[in-house]
Amino acid sequence: MATRRIISGEKTILEKDDKDFSQAAGEKSNIAPAVPAHVIYKLLGFTLAMVVGPIGSYFLTLNTLFGGNSTYAGALAAIMANVVLIGYVIVAFQEDQTEAVEAKEKEKREGKKGL
């Protein structure tokens, strides 16, 4: 098995991968988080609802509403899990639509400034 030798003037793979940081020294770095905080709070809220909602509805309705019938209580817990999931999907779609509307409005404002 033969290996390829590196010629002294040729860069290695690691050297090719490195960026020239001397050019970027004058630029400011973007230290904003990759995911906004409000998105994380929504995710945590829906995660908590996904845990508490179905389990809580199961135990609350097992003896009070369904008289010990665990099948009905389990079915209600499954329905509650689906309700939380559908709620999360609706909130995610609405957030995505508001971001698109805000981007269009920003483009309109920038277009008017150029006139």
Side-chain angles (χ1 to χ4, degrees), residues 13-66:
I13 294 173
L14 295 175
E15 291 171 340
K16 288 179 184 178
D17 194 33
D18 287 341
K19 295 179 181 177
D20 187 14
F21 291 108
S22 61
Q23 292 177 355
E27 299 175 10
K28 287 193 167 218
S29 63
N30 184 5
I31 58 171
V35 179
H38 68 89
V39 173
I40 294 175
Y41 294 142
K42 284 180 190 176
L43 180 63
L44 289 175
F46 277 101
T47 301
L48 182 67
M50 184 59 89
V51 171
V52 172
I55 294 173
S57 68
Y58 176 82
F59 285 111
L60 285 175
T61 61
L62 180 62
N63 292 320
T64 58
L65 189 62
F66 298 122

Side-chain angles (χ1 to χ4, degrees), residues 2-7 10-11 16:
T3 59
R4 184 172 180 265
R5 296 183 185 204
I6 297 174
I7 303 170
E10 186 179 348
K11 290 184 176 181
K16 288 179 184 178

